[in-house]
Structures are given as C-alpha cells and as structure tokens.
C-alpha cells in the first residue's frame, strides 16, 4: 500500500493519475489516498490495505528469523534508544532545538545512549536532520550513528538494533511499524497532514 499525496502541483497530479490509471493493481494505505485517486479520475478497483512492511512480519520464514533474533538477544537489552528522523519542508529551528533538549534529558535522566538511524541516504538524506539535531545536544559522546547497508545485509542488523532498544523515536512510518511488530515502545513524530 502506498499513501497518495500531498500532491500540490498540477503536473504531480497528472503524472500520478496517468500511472495509476495504467496500474494492474492499486493498493493504498488509507481511505484518504483512495479518495484522492478517485478525485483524479482513477476508476479501477482500489484496495485499502496495511502497509507492506507488516507483511514481512506475517511471513512464516520472516517470523521464525525475527523470533530467533529476538530470543538470541533478549538478555542483551541495551541502554539505548533509536532515533529515526527525516527532513521535511516545515522543519524549524524550534523543532530541532526542542528535540535536542529532549534527547539530552533522556540521557541525563535515564542514562540511555542515543542511536540515530538514517533510513534514507539519497534524496532527502536523513543524516542531514540527524546531524542538525545532534550538533545541538550537550552529550555528544553518547550519540553513535548506526550505519547499515540494506542491500548487503538485509533487515537483520536493523531488527537487532530495534529489538535491543529500550524505545524508538520515529518520524519514518516504517521505523514505527518495525517497533510495533517487535513489541518495542515507540514515540511517533508526525510531520505531514497524511
């Protein structure tokens, strides 16, 4: 399933409608996305389904592998939280300062390391906002960037990181989905009207 929008330009709406009218199957994550496609003239059947990331955890092989990872590391719960952020056009100095202050308080009150984890490293590189926030924190020595290569290593390093965390702070939807599927407490940060 894909969320549709916001589509703020005419060309964006036209290209999306053109592609969707030719798709063999359309799955969206929410009713609002379905409504937007209908308004754009897409008449074929549109399925509202859960995000495909949930399917990973419903596959028997993935469930077995994930369960093994968690069981192998259950006694190794680490003293850290994972932070998954993204840049967006409404980002403000107030937001970055507030979040850096909050992360300082997490460290000072709970002695938890902060592990920033970029999900996207190409257009809209997550490391940009992560660096902006972490340069404002007081406790820089307790921050350790998590780098991984999804193509080479698959999801295992990410699942290990998440399954050992005390909590996840996530702006990226899939960080919150992974946390929920692994039973890790998480704090979602909304950045869009979607």
């Amino acid at each position: 399933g894909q969320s549709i929008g916001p589509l703020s330009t005419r060309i964006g709406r036209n290209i999306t409608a053109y592609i969707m009218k030719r798709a063999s199957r359309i799955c969206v994550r929410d009713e609002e996305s379905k409504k937007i496609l209908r308004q754009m003239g897409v008449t074929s059947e549109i399925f509202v389904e859960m995000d495909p990331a949930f399917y990973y955890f419903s596959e028997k092989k993935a469930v077995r592998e994930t369960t093994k990872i968690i069981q192998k590391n259950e006694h190794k719960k680490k003293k850290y939280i994972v932070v998954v952020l993204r840049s967006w056009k409404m980002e403000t100095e107030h937001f970055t300062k507030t979040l850096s202050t909050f992360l300082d308080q997490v460290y000072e009150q709970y002695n938890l390391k902060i592990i920033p984890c970029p999900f996207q490293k190409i257009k809209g590189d997550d490391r940009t906002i992560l660096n902006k926030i972490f340069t404002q924190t007081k406790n820089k020595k307790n921050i350790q960037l998590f780098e991984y290569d999804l193509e080479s290593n698959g999801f295992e390093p990410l699942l290990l990181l998440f399954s050992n965390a005390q909590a996840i702070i996530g702006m990226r939807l899939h960080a919150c989905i992974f946390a929920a599927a692994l039973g890790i407490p998480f704090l979602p940060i909304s950045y869009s009207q979607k």
Side-chain angles (χ1 to χ4, degrees):
Q2 177 66 47
S3 288
I4 305 298
L7 294 166
S8 53
T9 64
R10 180 183 212 160
I11 193 165
R13 288 187 296 276
N14 289 342
I15 290 170
T16 302
Y18 178 84
I19 292 168
M20 292 299 183
K21 287 176 181 177
R22 285 154 183 77
S24 59
R25 180 178 167 96
I26 301 172
C27 301
V28 295
R29 293 190 287 226
D30 53 80
E31 289 292 335
E32 183 63 25
S33 293
K34 182 177 180 177
K35 181 181 166 187
I36 291 169
L37 290 176
R38 290 285 183 242
Q39 290 169 347
M40 292 169 35
V42 177
T43 57
S44 54
E45 189 169 13
I46 300 171
F47 299 91
V48 178
E49 297 184 355
M50 66 182 170
D51 187 278
F54 283 112
Y55 289 112
Y56 174 82
F57 293 99
S58 66
E59 293 290 321
K60 286 182 179 161
K61 182 180 177 200
V63 168
R64 283 194 308 272
E65 289 173 7
T66 304
T67 303
K68 275 194 282 186
I69 290 168
I70 293 169
Q71 287 172 345
K72 184 171 72 174
N73 292 287
E74 227 160 8
H75 64 286
K76 297 181 183 176
K77 270 285 191 215
K78 304 284 193 268
K79 304 249 330 154
Y80 65 81
I81 63 169
V82 176
V83 181
V84 181
L85 303 176
R86 60 163 295 159
S87 296
W88 86 108
K89 63 184 176 185
M90 302 302 287
E91 183 183 306
T92 65
E93 183 64 33
H94 176 72
F95 171 77
T96 56
K97 184 64 184 155
T98 301
L99 193 51
S100 64
T101 301
F102 171 73
L103 293 171
D104 280 333
Q105 290 171 347
V106 166
Y107 171 71
E108 290 161 7
Q109 290 180 16
Y110 303 102
N111 196 29
L112 293 173
K113 285 186 92 128
I114 310 298
I115 310 289
C117 179
F119 267 35
Q120 184 169 308
K121 298 176 188 173
I122 48 175
K123 185 181 180 207
D125 191 329
D126 293 347
R127 291 173 293 192
T128 304
I129 188 167
L130 290 168
N131 288 331
K132 193 181 290 185
I133 287 168
F134 294 114
T135 56
Q136 295 180 40
T137 59
K138 293 186 291 189
N139 302 299
K140 292 172 184 52
K141 67 181 184 313
N142 295 299
I143 298 168
Q144 180 182 344
L145 183 68
F146 180 76
E147 293 279 3
Y148 67 100
D149 182 2
L150 188 60
E151 287 184 34
S152 301
N153 302 315
F155 285 113
E156 186 167 335
L158 201 55
L159 294 174
L160 277 169
L161 177 74
F162 275 47
S163 67
N164 286 321
Q166 297 294 316
I168 311 295
I169 297 174
M171 286 178 79
R172 293 240 175 238
L173 173 65
H174 293 106
C176 297
I177 290 172
F178 281 5
L182 293 166
I184 305 300
F186 64 98
L187 173 65
I189 299 175
S190 177
Y191 64 90
S192 174
Q193 67 214 29
K194 290 198 261 186

